[in-house]
Amino acid sequence: MYRASRPLAPQTGKPKTPLKENVRKLIYSCGNHNLFLELFIQGPRQFGAKDVQLLRPAVEMATSNLSRKTGVIVGDDVLKLFSYAQQKGFAIPAINVTSSSTVVASLEAARDKKAPIILQMSQGGAAYFAGKGVANDKQQASIAGAVAGAHYIRSIASAYDIPVILHTDHCAKKLLPWLDGMMDADEAYFKEHGEPLFSSHMIDLSEEEVDYNIETTARYLKRAAPMKQFLEMEIGITGGEEDGVNNEDVDNNSLYTQPEDIYNIYKTLSAISPYFSIAAGFGNVHGVYKPGNVKLHPELLSKHQAYVKEKTGTKEEKPVFLVFHGGSGSTKAEYKEAISNGVVKVNLDTDLQYAYLTGIRDYVLNKKDYIMSQVGNPDGEDKPNKKFFDPRVWVREGEKTMSARVKEGLVDFNTANQL
């Protein structure tokens, strides 16, 4: 428990010291926001219960300590939001977006649920953003699409009045030219605006030797550090298949990361920058599979935190920002345990792809007789069908069902109502 440098007015029975005076003394006693929150948590021992109930709503907001409350956030704001998520026991869904339509479906859900959100593009998703007709032999479509998507998200995100982390997903060794191109864009944007274009990137060298993984990740973190840009890395392979990366046949033992590897990564990266997170394998698999076929062990994550805490001597119970990959199809209990062990980000993709489809599928099936021709339907052979086949109508149905599934994730991860 933290102890204030000056004693606070004790409260026994009916409060004798006005709330305003206790607030003044509390702020005077605290050197930082975390201590402020800690003293509020300990409040009943130093305040009257009514005082604490009045104070708590004023500070327990995910945006209360952010310099930018809405739109794309970067640097220290991302760090503060992740720290707050660990303190309050929630994780932020990371939604793979491939178009303006999937972007707005995600933003709408987060706005309605009063929650922060992470929007991320994979290498394939970024290429789709550019257009499937653009050559990608040198990652040019993926670079152009990611940059275009980033500018679009930056332009529209603030209209939804929520903080957004702008991220890119798995970048394997063969895709490093994609990451290089995006970081070129980050540095150009930083030179003009004082911040990177993207809040963060992911480098995924989990299929490579551990030493190469850590050394290469460290090299990229050194490049990102001057911009205060986050870098997510992966250790331990995520099984299954996603976006052309197929790990369905890997040895099951490689799906589980060891505490010693987490500490080695933490020690190496923390010497460079505090802006990093680790996707540690605990049996994760991309996609959705028959129940019982995937064995997740989120309890392993607590061992990683405890080992890093012991080796570093830190007082932090959860010194590592952890990431949950392959979130689709997992149980609420698995989410809850992973988040309790320091997970701040959960990837959702497969469930949302299917959710987007269902809205469009059901619309087409229900309106089949109204979309078989431009003119003529059950209401009359001369009746026009434009209002039924207009893409703004049926694409919107996909947005609605995707948005509903994002909202479900925001509730499951305890992200809802954090703003």
Side-chain angles (χ1 to χ4, degrees), residues 231-244:
L231 191 64
E232 176 186 331
M233 66 88 68
E234 182 165 346
I235 184 76
I237 295 173
T238 300
E241 189 276 334
E242 182 179 58
D243 210 4

Side-chain angles (χ1 to χ4, degrees), residues 363-402:
Y363 178 85
V364 169
L365 293 175
N366 291 332
K367 300 295 184 182
K368 176 178 176 294
D369 294 332
Y370 293 83
I371 59 174
M372 298 304 292
S373 62
Q374 292 192 55
V375 178
N377 59 50
D379 299 331
E381 59 183 27
D382 61 343
K383 296 292 185 182
N385 293 320
K386 180 174 173 56
K387 66 180 181 181
F388 299 105
F389 63 73
D390 185 333
R392 291 172 296 181
V393 177
W394 50 269
V395 169
R396 177 59 181 160
E397 294 303 312
E399 292 172 1
K400 289 177 183 177
T401 47
M402 177 179 170

Side-chain angles (χ1 to χ4, degrees), residues 74-355:
V74 297
D76 289 329
D77 279 345
V78 177
L79 187 70
K80 291 172 185 175
L81 184 56
F82 282 171
S83 296
Y84 186 84
Q86 282 191 337
Q87 292 168 14
K88 306 306 294 183
F90 70 90
I92 307 169
I95 312 303
N96 281 70
V97 294
T98 57
S99 63
S100 62
S101 179
T102 52
V103 167
V104 300
S106 305
L107 291 173
E108 187 175 315
R111 179 202 62 198
D112 292 350
K113 284 297 182 181
K114 297 179 175 59
I117 200 161
I118 299 170
L119 300 183
Q120 61 186 25
M121 287 175 277
S122 66
Q123 180 261 357
Y128 188 84
F129 228 115
K132 295 294 285 185
V134 180
N136 205 27
D137 56 308
K138 297 180 180 179
Q139 301 301 321
Q140 60 267 47
S142 292
I143 295 169
V147 171
H151 281 289
Y152 170 73
I153 291 169
R154 277 187 168 270
S155 298
I156 201 68
S158 59
Y160 289 82
D161 293 325
I162 55 170
V164 176
I165 295 174
L166 178 52
H167 182 66
T168 60
D169 206 6
H170 296 270
C171 181
K173 183 179 180 180
K174 64 182 180 181
L175 302 180
L176 287 176
W178 174 49
L179 180 55
D180 292 332
M182 291 188 293
M183 293 191 78
D184 288 343
D186 284 317
E187 288 166 342
Y189 194 88
F190 181 83
K191 186 175 181 179
E192 184 175 353
H193 300 283
E195 65 184 54
L197 178 60
F198 293 87
S199 311
S200 57
H201 296 292
M202 181 189 181
I203 182 169
D204 179 6
L205 302 175
S206 57
E207 294 181 322
E208 313 303 324
E209 292 294 328
V210 172
D211 287 346
Y212 174 83
N213 185 351
I214 298 175
E215 290 169 6
T216 307
T217 298
R219 177 163 55 85
Y220 276 93
L221 186 60
K222 287 177 182 177
R223 183 177 179 184
M227 299 181 283
K228 292 189 175 181
Q229 185 177 54
F230 256 79
L231 191 64
E232 176 186 331
M233 66 88 68
E234 182 165 346
I235 184 76
I237 295 173
T238 300
E241 189 276 334
E242 182 179 58
D243 210 4
V245 178
N246 194 321
N247 290 325
E248 292 178 310
D249 298 322
V250 299
D251 181 0
N252 279 346
N253 289 330
S254 64
L255 303 180
Y256 301 96
T257 306
Q258 300 304 309
E260 293 81 5
D261 288 332
I262 298 296
Y263 169 64
N264 194 15
I265 294 164
Y266 184 88
K267 180 178 65 174
T268 301
L269 300 187
S270 61
I272 301 168
S273 165
Y275 309 106
F276 68 91
S277 59
I278 303 174
F282 54 97
N284 316 58
V285 174
H286 286 134
V288 177
Y289 295 83
K290 184 178 178 180
N293 285 2
V294 176
K295 304 293 184 183
L296 286 180
H297 291 282
E299 72 278 2
L300 295 176
L301 301 179
S302 65
K303 296 181 180 179
H304 300 336
Q305 299 282 17
Y307 190 79
V308 172
K309 179 184 178 183
E310 176 189 353
K311 297 294 287 186
T312 60
T314 180
K315 294 181 180 179
E316 295 287 339
E317 291 297 323
K318 302 167 190 172
V320 186
F321 293 134
L322 294 173
V323 177
F324 186 152
H325 278 246
S328 293
S330 301
T331 67
K332 292 181 181 180
E334 289 166 339
Y335 292 141
K336 184 176 180 180
E337 184 165 9
I339 292 168
S340 72
N341 291 326
V343 163
V344 297
K345 171 179 179 278
V346 180
N347 284 13
L348 281 181
D349 186 24
T350 304
D351 281 357
L352 299 178
Q353 290 177 344
Y354 187 73

Side-chain angles (χ1 to χ4, degrees), residues 16-84:
K16 297 178 181 179
T17 305
L19 171 63
K20 183 177 180 181
E21 177 64 12
N22 268 336
V23 171
R24 185 189 66 77
K25 290 184 177 181
L26 180 58
I27 295 173
Y28 184 89
S29 302
C30 299
N32 59 62
H33 181 66
N34 290 341
L35 179 53
F36 202 23
L37 286 174
E38 179 69 15
L39 285 168
F40 281 160
I41 294 170
Q42 301 292 343
R45 301 179 189 177
Q46 310 237 20
F47 284 78
K50 290 183 179 179
D51 287 359
V52 175
Q53 290 169 4
L54 288 169
L55 285 167
R56 188 166 283 133
V59 297
E60 291 191 350
M61 302 290 286
T63 55
S64 63
N65 207 29
L66 302 185
S67 64
R68 183 178 298 162
K69 312 297 185 185
T70 65
V72 172
I73 63 171
V74 297
D76 289 329
D77 279 345
V78 177
L79 187 70
K80 291 172 185 175
L81 184 56
F82 282 171
S83 296
Y84 186 84

